[in-house]
Amino acid sequence: MSSATNRRNILQLIRDRELNDHIRTKYALKSNLYYKCISKLGLLAQLEGHQGCVNCLQWNLNGSTLASASDDYQVILWDPFLQKVKTTIKTLHRGNIFSVKFIPSCNDDIVATGAGDWSSHTYNVTTGHKLSSCNCSHGRVKRLAVANDTPSVYWSASEDGCISQHDMRMSHECPTEKSKITLVTIYGQSGKKIEAKCLDINQLKTEQLAVGANDQYVRLYDRRMIRSLSSFTVKHSNSKNSSSEFDFVCTDNSATDTLNQFQSALQYYVPGHIHPYTEILPKKQRSYVITYLTFSPDGQELLVNYGGDYVYLYNLMDQADNAFFNIPKVMKVPREHGEGSSLDITDDPVPIPHSTLPDKVEKLKLKANYLFEKEEYTAAIYIYNEAIDIYQCSVLFSNRAAAYIKRKWEGDYYAALKDCVTALKLEPNHMKAHFRLAVCLCELGMLKDSKMYLDQFTLKYPLYENSVAYKGLQNDLKNEEAKIRERRAYPTPNYEVLHIEQVEKITSEKYFSSRSKDYLHRYYGHCNTSTDIKEANFFGNKNQFIVAGSDDGLFFVWDKHTENNLLLLKGDSSIVNCVQPHPSEFMLATSGIDNEVKLWSPLSDDVDNAFKVENYKRTARINQSRMMADPFDIIMNNMRRDILEGNESHEFHTVREQYGVDPLSDDFDCLMS
């Protein structure tokens, strides 16, 4: 193809898009989604028709129809451009509908629904008649998924821990033939079933199935190899000569699956700071739930929204084993004399000068340093992010690590640890990054590694032994080691009797979680604690933006690469749960506790955006406090305050203040979904 053909002018593009739908979509993606449009995003329309919370949204493949489903047991199909109802399906569900999907290759004439009545249905859009139903689940059906190359099939995740595959062309008897449709059952670290909350299919590699459950691990299955998971049993190795902690026993003599297939069938992903491997257990064990996950349109990334934590981006193409507990190993260098030691970051104790920064980056660094000195750590991190996106050097990573350490939000010490490791890779003799690495490891409970790197720091920089920071870290290590000795002296008894099957499940979970991979980016500022259906999605022609809802009625837009927040918009009077970008146009659909569906698109410059929220730092700080608070402590504190003030209706006030709804209203039921 000639270069002249590639350089089509605007008139040629307009003509071509009228003739070819693929070119139309490609043109729309190329011409619409730019950074300047994000700041102009505003409310285009409110779609009214539901009589309850709108729990799920789904565009059809070409974006001509938007489906919504609600607590009113109805599915409404909308024309997003005319902003009118196309048709309404009054389903036969008797529980809140949590998921709706268009069945592929059916001309958008069949939708599948999953609901709180433990069932999934399919309906003919034209007639509204139910085509099929499955009542095999022993828990609420929270999410459905489809593969665009697999017509007549959908998958479901339900709170009985089962991932099921439903083929509309095949009949089965509920619930006696449940095993026929159960693809996999999710078990947690205790060896017991846990609730499955969400799932997604990679549309470019449809053998890949991602599952989120009632714990912190994302489970990525290869559907072609799932059967091999039952062909092997994982046991702890008893051999002193074994190089592995685990042994694998084939339990099916007729199985043709290889060990490699077993190991390739499942991959875990988890943010390093919530992976349970630290020497000191947290004072309060926090619970996590994955409320939503989705593959990027190019199939190379996985975006995950964590209840009780943040939104994380995982790089599926990175084959490195980059889980948290392997990060310190990155720094290991063999000694010339004797055995290898983790203390040897470098043999040269003399710091080398930092490289000269480009003028723009230098100005950003100085601005961020000024904000750091003013103790405006969130603002400083924002500027460091911008600078690192332009130019990566050890100084910027180390300085951002210092800002994370000072701010102390959830996950900040781990983010700082990652920055220190990166800084030392770029400049092995970066003294501050070395010391901050030891600080982070101590705060994260990795005491042996922290002491190891502090000892190395002492050897390299002996003049700093008398510094306040050095002595402070030494004292912290001694105090934490004393806590470990005390806990070992008075262990908590465990009287639970484990069955052999449960022991095998625990060992299997430990094996796969030990191979977990770490996140690439994290996005914060929002709060996700009140509902377990809160979404996060890619947005933009190059997936350059991340969007997610929040418990404060806002939805957030971040830059994918810098992690910086770009926009806050008020999307609901209480909670925004659903955020679904249009497949090709610069349009976003949102919903939540309110009965309406909202459509968002860029506004003209002369229109005042009444839904825009300006103070990100304050909003993020409040949401951070809310997310980290113990709900029981909040209620008790409010009760004490109300009693002192002479108010008897303290529970009423607590719920209304915390969630923004009247406990006696129908909206309060939505918070329990």
Side-chain angles (χ1 to χ4, degrees), residues 394-575:
S394 59
V395 174
L396 295 175
F397 283 106
S398 181
N399 286 6
R400 187 171 68 177
Y404 282 135
I405 291 171
K406 287 290 187 180
R407 190 176 65 174
K408 301 179 183 179
W409 286 6
E410 180 70 11
D412 275 356
Y413 281 116
Y414 182 65
L417 175 67
K418 290 165 71 78
D419 276 352
C420 290
V421 171
T422 303
L424 289 168
K425 285 181 178 179
L426 294 170
E427 187 179 325
N429 298 315
H430 197 294
M431 182 185 68
K432 292 181 179 179
H434 188 158
F435 183 77
R436 288 165 185 161
L437 175 67
V439 170
C440 293
L441 288 167
C442 177
E443 293 292 340
L444 291 165
M446 303 288 286
L447 303 187
K448 291 181 181 178
D449 289 298
S450 178
K451 188 177 184 304
M452 184 170 60
Y453 288 115
L454 186 62
D455 289 344
Q456 171 65 4
F457 183 86
T458 306
L459 294 174
K460 292 179 66 176
Y461 313 109
L463 296 178
Y464 290 90
E465 279 189 87
N466 296 320
S467 68
V468 175
Y470 183 92
K471 291 181 177 179
L473 179 55
Q474 272 194 328
N475 288 332
D476 289 343
L477 283 169
K478 290 178 182 177
N479 292 335
E480 296 301 331
E481 286 171 347
K483 291 179 183 178
I484 287 181
R485 289 193 296 270
E486 183 178 352
R487 293 190 183 190
R488 286 174 178 169
Y490 302 99
T492 303
N494 184 3
Y495 300 109
E496 183 180 6
V497 178
L498 303 179
H499 298 289
I500 184 63
E501 295 84 1
Q502 190 174 352
V503 173
E504 291 176 353
K505 294 295 183 185
I506 292 173
T507 309
S508 179
E509 282 296 308
K510 186 174 181 181
Y511 167 69
F512 283 109
S513 63
S514 71
R515 302 167 63 245
S516 298
K517 294 183 181 295
D518 194 16
Y519 71 85
L520 178 63
H521 291 296
R522 68 169 182 157
Y523 310 96
Y524 52 84
H526 65 302
C527 183
N528 181 10
T529 58
S530 296
T531 59
D532 61 358
I533 56 173
K534 203 167 282 93
E535 299 176 350
N537 253 305
F538 296 92
F539 190 30
N541 62 324
K542 296 181 180 179
N543 312 317
Q544 65 267 51
F545 308 118
I546 303 296
V547 292
S550 178
D551 289 343
D552 53 7
L554 306 178
F555 68 90
F556 289 61
V557 183
W558 295 274
D559 181 287
K560 187 179 81 170
H561 298 291
T562 67
E563 304 176 7
N564 284 342
N565 177 261
L566 302 176
L567 184 67
L568 300 180
L569 287 171
K570 185 69 174 177
D572 194 272
S573 62
S574 183
I575 297 173

Side-chain angles (χ1 to χ4, degrees), residues 638-651 653 657:
N638 286 333
M639 286 174 63
R640 294 189 191 100
R641 183 197 63 197
D642 289 337
I643 291 171
L644 289 173
E645 295 175 355
N647 298 328
E648 295 182 359
S649 56
H650 44 78
E651 289 93 350
H653 290 298
E657 291 173 8

Side-chain angles (χ1 to χ4, degrees), residues 601-617:
S601 190
L603 303 175
S604 60
D605 293 332
D606 57 349
V607 175
D608 181 36
N609 192 346
F611 294 88
K612 192 173 183 178
V613 177
E614 296 292 348
N615 198 336
Y616 167 75
K617 288 187 292 183

Side-chain angles (χ1 to χ4, degrees), residues 202-205 208 294-303 313-317 538 540-544 560-561:
N202 189 339
Q203 299 303 328
L204 296 189
K205 294 182 178 180
Q208 289 187 340
T294 183
F295 289 95
S296 60
D298 62 9
Q300 298 182 9
E301 296 168 328
L302 188 63
L303 188 68
L313 182 72
Y314 296 102
N315 180 10
L316 304 181
M317 306 307 291
F538 296 92
N541 62 324
K542 296 181 180 179
N543 312 317
Q544 65 267 51
K560 187 179 81 170
H561 298 291

Side-chain angles (χ1 to χ4, degrees), residues 29-78:
L29 289 172
K30 278 188 173 182
S31 61
N32 274 337
L33 299 179
Y34 295 105
Y35 281 83
K36 63 182 180 181
C37 295
I38 284 293
S39 62
K40 299 179 181 179
L41 197 66
L43 185 64
L44 174 67
Q46 291 191 147
L47 308 180
E48 299 180 355
H50 283 293
Q51 303 301 316
C53 308
V54 182
N55 301 319
C56 50
L57 302 171
Q58 184 65 45
W59 296 96
N60 66 344
L61 203 56
N62 65 13
S64 62
T65 304
L66 174 67
S68 62
S70 166
D71 290 354
D72 61 9
Y73 315 148
Q74 294 188 107
V75 175
I76 299 180
L77 275 65
W78 309 86

Side-chain angles (χ1 to χ4, degrees), residues 240-474:
K240 296 181 179 180
N241 299 323
S242 176
S243 60
S244 173
E245 181 184 353
F246 303 96
D247 288 333
F248 305 93
V249 179
C250 183
T251 57
D252 185 357
N253 294 329
S254 62
T256 58
D257 305 299
T258 65
L259 180 58
N260 183 59
Q261 286 176 312
F262 169 78
Q263 294 171 327
S264 301
L266 179 58
Q267 175 64 56
Y268 278 27
Y269 294 83
V270 63
H273 63 284
I274 60 176
H275 185 62
Y277 57 91
T278 54
E279 297 172 76
I280 299 177
L281 294 175
K283 294 179 180 178
K284 291 183 179 180
Q285 289 283 357
R286 294 183 59 210
S287 60
Y288 299 93
V289 57
I290 296 174
T291 63
Y292 189 81
L293 47 73
T294 183
F295 289 95
S296 60
D298 62 9
Q300 298 182 9
E301 296 168 328
L302 188 63
L303 188 68
V304 184
N305 199 348
Y306 280 80
D309 209 83
Y310 306 126
V311 175
Y312 293 92
L313 182 72
Y314 296 102
N315 180 10
L316 304 181
M317 306 307 291
D318 185 3
Q319 299 301 315
D321 190 8
N322 57 345
F324 171 89
F325 43 85
N326 284 328
I327 282 184
K329 297 178 183 178
V330 175
M331 311 309 301
K332 289 186 179 179
V333 178
R335 293 184 69 93
E336 293 182 3
H337 307 285
E339 298 179 357
S341 170
S342 296
L343 303 179
D344 296 309
I345 294 178
T346 179
D347 293 330
D348 184 6
V350 181
I352 60 176
H354 304 308
S355 59
T356 303
L357 301 178
D359 289 343
K360 183 178 180 180
V361 176
E362 180 66 27
K363 290 178 181 178
L364 289 171
K365 188 195 79 170
L366 293 175
K367 183 179 179 180
N369 291 352
Y370 172 77
L371 292 168
F372 180 91
E373 294 298 327
K374 299 281 287 183
E375 298 184 359
E376 296 183 20
Y377 303 121
T378 299
I381 291 167
Y382 191 101
I383 303 302
Y384 285 132
N385 290 345
E386 287 188 1
I388 289 172
D389 191 50
I390 300 171
Y391 185 81
Q392 296 192 356
C393 72
S394 59
V395 174
L396 295 175
F397 283 106
S398 181
N399 286 6
R400 187 171 68 177
Y404 282 135
I405 291 171
K406 287 290 187 180
R407 190 176 65 174
K408 301 179 183 179
W409 286 6
E410 180 70 11
D412 275 356
Y413 281 116
Y414 182 65
L417 175 67
K418 290 165 71 78
D419 276 352
C420 290
V421 171
T422 303
L424 289 168
K425 285 181 178 179
L426 294 170
E427 187 179 325
N429 298 315
H430 197 294
M431 182 185 68
K432 292 181 179 179
H434 188 158
F435 183 77
R436 288 165 185 161
L437 175 67
V439 170
C440 293
L441 288 167
C442 177
E443 293 292 340
L444 291 165
M446 303 288 286
L447 303 187
K448 291 181 181 178
D449 289 298
S450 178
K451 188 177 184 304
M452 184 170 60
Y453 288 115
L454 186 62
D455 289 344
Q456 171 65 4
F457 183 86
T458 306
L459 294 174
K460 292 179 66 176
Y461 313 109
L463 296 178
Y464 290 90
E465 279 189 87
N466 296 320
S467 68
V468 175
Y470 183 92
K471 291 181 177 179
L473 179 55
Q474 272 194 328

